[in-house]
Amino acid sequence: MSEFEEEFNEETEVEEKEIDTISEEEYTEDDEYTEDEEKLPFAKAEVVRLMKEHLDDDKMIRERVKVEMNKFLGDVLANVCKQLNEYPYSTVEYEMLKESTYPYTNIERINEEKIRILKHLDAIKADCDALSMDVKATLKLNDKPDTQDEDDLF
């Protein structure tokens, strides 16, 4: 080999080593969850694919979000299974699953019902406050009778 070829090979080897070390450093800095990925309940690629399917095209997903979404989905599955275990039957039926997933599938309806109940409670509170003011205004329990009124009666 010529000197030029030897220098070129040495330079490329050095550059490749630098690239390898940089990519390893970037990987460990950007990906704090490499250990957690092994413990994730679902395939990360599938969770990311589903997230991208429902997010806007211009959204980028950070690694931590990918991992935490995967863990969250695993927690939801665990909670649903705990509720399914409360049934005394040995076979899990569709109706049981439907009932166990109700809080997750009907969250909008549940929130609307919560708002309706809170508004109703506010109305009841306003009625109670109005009644309280009426009682205080009409029934003066702690007031002493006027002395002039007593003199007029006798």
Side-chain angles (χ1 to χ4, degrees):
M1 280 201 276
S2 69
E3 287 180 40
F4 176 75
E5 289 176 345
E6 287 178 21
E7 285 180 33
F8 179 76
N9 287 339
E10 287 175 13
E11 286 178 12
T12 54
E13 286 177 19
V14 169
E15 287 176 4
E16 287 175 1
K17 288 180 183 176
E18 287 177 0
I19 290 172
D20 289 343
T21 57
I22 290 171
S23 62
E24 286 175 15
E25 289 172 5
E26 287 177 359
Y27 183 74
T28 55
E29 286 176 10
D30 290 343
D31 191 10
E32 300 170 2
Y33 299 95
T34 53
E35 295 173 9
D36 291 340
E37 285 182 20
E38 296 171 7
K39 301 175 189 174
L40 294 177
F42 301 107
K44 191 169 103 177
E46 186 64 17
V47 172
V48 172
R49 184 188 66 76
L50 289 170
M51 288 177 71
K52 286 183 178 184
E53 187 177 302
H54 295 284
L55 288 172
D56 294 338
D57 292 333
D58 63 337
K59 300 279 189 221
M60 292 178 60
I61 307 168
R62 296 252 184 227
E63 185 65 25
R64 182 174 183 181
V65 175
K66 295 173 185 177
V67 171
E68 294 301 323
M69 176 63 83
N70 202 316
K71 289 179 182 179
F72 168 74
L73 294 173
D75 291 343
V76 169
L77 181 126
N79 290 336
V80 168
C81 289
K82 282 179 190 174
Q83 192 166 359
L84 288 171
N85 279 334
E86 292 177 6
Y87 289 99
Y89 310 111
S90 59
T91 304
V92 176
E93 298 292 337
Y94 175 70
E95 292 301 318
M96 296 160 55
L97 176 68
K98 210 170 148 184
E99 187 176 320
S100 298
T101 59
Y102 181 84
Y104 304 101
T105 55
N106 293 303
I107 192 72
E108 290 176 13
R109 186 171 162 200
I110 292 169
N111 283 335
E112 289 171 1
E113 183 69 10
K114 175 185 165 186
I115 291 169
R116 186 191 69 76
I117 290 170
L118 289 173
K119 285 181 180 178
H120 188 66
L121 289 173
D122 286 340
I124 291 171
K125 182 180 175 187
D127 287 345
C128 290
D129 290 343
L131 287 171
S132 176
M133 288 173 49
D134 287 345
V135 167
K136 288 177 182 176
T138 57
L139 302 173
K140 298 180 181 183
L141 298 175
N142 293 334
D143 291 346
K144 296 180 182 177
D146 293 336
T147 54
Q148 291 176 350
D149 291 340
E150 287 181 15
D151 292 338
D152 291 338
L153 290 175
F154 293 104

